[in-house]
Amino acid sequence: MRRSPRKLSLALGVVLLVGLLVPAVAPAERTIALNTGTIELSLAPGSIANDSVRVSNNGTEPLRALIYTSDVRYDEQGEPDYVKPTGEPGEFLRSPASWMSLRVPDTTKVVANTPYIELDPGQALDIDFEMRVPGNATPGDYNAVIFFEMFEFAASDTGTTSRISGRIGARIVLRVAGDVIDRMDVAPFSVRSFNIGDTVPYSFRVVNDGNIDKRYEPSLVVLDGNEAERMRSVVETSAIVYAQGQREYLGGLKLDNARFGRFTMRVEVAYDREAGSEPGTVMPEVIRKDRTFWVVPLWAAILLILAIGLPVLWLSWKLAVRSSRRKHEREERTREERRARLAEEHEGASDQREDSSTSV
């Protein structure tokens, strides 16, 4: 049975109307947020400070979040590693996370010896903490993090296991007052000495031997044979290397209008050096290290290869032809000698037959 176009249009309109009237079901989500990403404190040894972090549930589903502190350590590439205090001997004086005490609203909510909170959608809580610096703490900068880690109890959970779904943290940057050691260096710094093409591989390491965190800007400068600056490239902006830490840089610098010759690559690390007894007194400082290298443009390398390679190929071909000719001549002489020897043997046999017939 065929339906008229009018009925089909009416049916389509009803379907569209139903789609507009029925509300779409939004997917449930858990979103945790903090009111700050960094809290900076400056305390003398033996001092105490109190502060707080506001955590909120900006999602549409209730959530649970573990609360704990971790120390921040950095590897040679400057990548952070978050280490929870273990209470081992000798750890306390270098662990700012161990100097912090958290105050949670309900101290009875604990899983795996770690307190947690529960937040309904739109709910927010202030988590207070106390920072108590030991009296014999070494002056300098320290970094710790207060983590809020969302989790769910497993279906068969008995209160001892959980399933993690994400975390967020507030960094605590602590300056312990005292003698400031501001000591930066660049070591090692290496550049490939001979390069074909317009890219020069390099590597260098920014080392902070001081006790305070340092912000800096590393740049690479290329100088020609007359020490005139040919190009400058900023490697990273607003970089930071933490107290007693280091950052490593590996890469290849692409040269502008590369030509044959000897050049110098200079690494420059610009930073503000703290000087004087007054806190915050700084002086601009630049660390410079130079390395020389040679460049052969790719087109020049190709021409050089052709200039050397073609004569070598021609000479190899000539030698091969000469060797083949000599081999052919030796083989021809060998064949002629063989034919001559066979002819002599044949003549000798004929003479013997003649002598035999004569004597008879």
Side-chain angles (χ1 to χ4, degrees), residues 257-276:
N257 300 320
R259 58 180 178 80
F260 179 82
R262 181 175 177 268
F263 299 88
T264 298
M265 184 181 294
R266 172 177 295 166
V267 60
E268 294 184 352
V269 175
Y271 68 102
D272 290 333
R273 180 182 180 85
E274 296 200 19

Side-chain angles (χ1 to χ4, degrees), residues 326-360:
R326 290 177 177 176
K327 181 180 179 181
H328 178 73
E329 292 174 353
R330 286 197 300 269
E331 292 176 350
E332 187 64 27
R333 285 196 301 269
T334 302
R335 284 193 294 269
E336 291 178 356
E337 291 174 355
R338 186 180 300 168
R339 284 195 296 267
R341 189 168 56 253
L342 290 175
E344 291 177 357
E345 292 177 355
H346 180 71
E347 291 178 359
S350 299
D351 292 342
Q352 289 180 358
R353 286 195 297 272
E354 291 177 357
D355 292 342
S356 299
S357 60
T358 302
S359 58
V360 172

Side-chain angles (χ1 to χ4, degrees), residues 6-136:
R6 182 177 181 182
K7 290 183 178 180
L8 288 175
S9 299
L10 180 61
L12 180 59
V14 171
V15 172
L16 292 176
L17 181 61
V18 171
L20 291 174
L21 293 178
V22 177
V25 179
E29 62 177 12
R30 293 180 175 87
T31 305
I32 191 169
L34 304 178
N35 68 327
T36 182
T38 304
I39 297 176
E40 297 183 356
L41 301 173
S42 182
L43 298 171
S47 300
I48 301 174
N50 293 277
D51 212 317
S52 64
V53 178
R54 170 161 291 190
V55 56
S56 57
N57 180 358
N58 292 347
T60 59
E61 287 288 310
L63 62 82
R64 298 184 181 92
L66 300 167
I67 308 176
Y68 58 91
T69 60
S70 293
D71 295 309
V72 186
R73 310 281 172 78
Y74 293 86
D75 59 18
E76 293 183 356
Q77 286 71 41
E79 296 297 325
D81 185 21
Y82 304 104
V83 182
K84 295 180 69 174
T86 61
E88 296 180 356
E91 179 190 54
F92 182 73
L93 287 179
R94 53 185 176 85
S95 171
S98 301
W99 307 343
M100 300 172 62
S101 301
L102 301 175
R103 302 188 185 95
V104 295
D106 189 348
T107 57
T108 63
K109 294 180 179 179
V110 177
V111 60
N113 296 323
T114 304
Y116 70 91
I117 57 175
E118 294 180 325
L119 294 174
D120 292 325
Q123 184 181 2
L125 287 176
D126 288 331
I127 304 300
D128 299 325
F129 68 90
E130 179 184 87
M131 174 68 75
R132 185 184 294 267
V133 181
N136 56 346

Side-chain angles (χ1 to χ4, degrees), residues 24 65 75 130 150 160 163 169 195 230-231 235 256 258 264 283 331:
D75 59 18
E130 179 184 87
M150 291 189 296
T160 58
R163 183 157 52 91
N195 303 273
R230 292 200 59 199
M231 63 172 294
V235 180
D256 296 334
T264 298
M283 295 176 54
E331 292 176 350

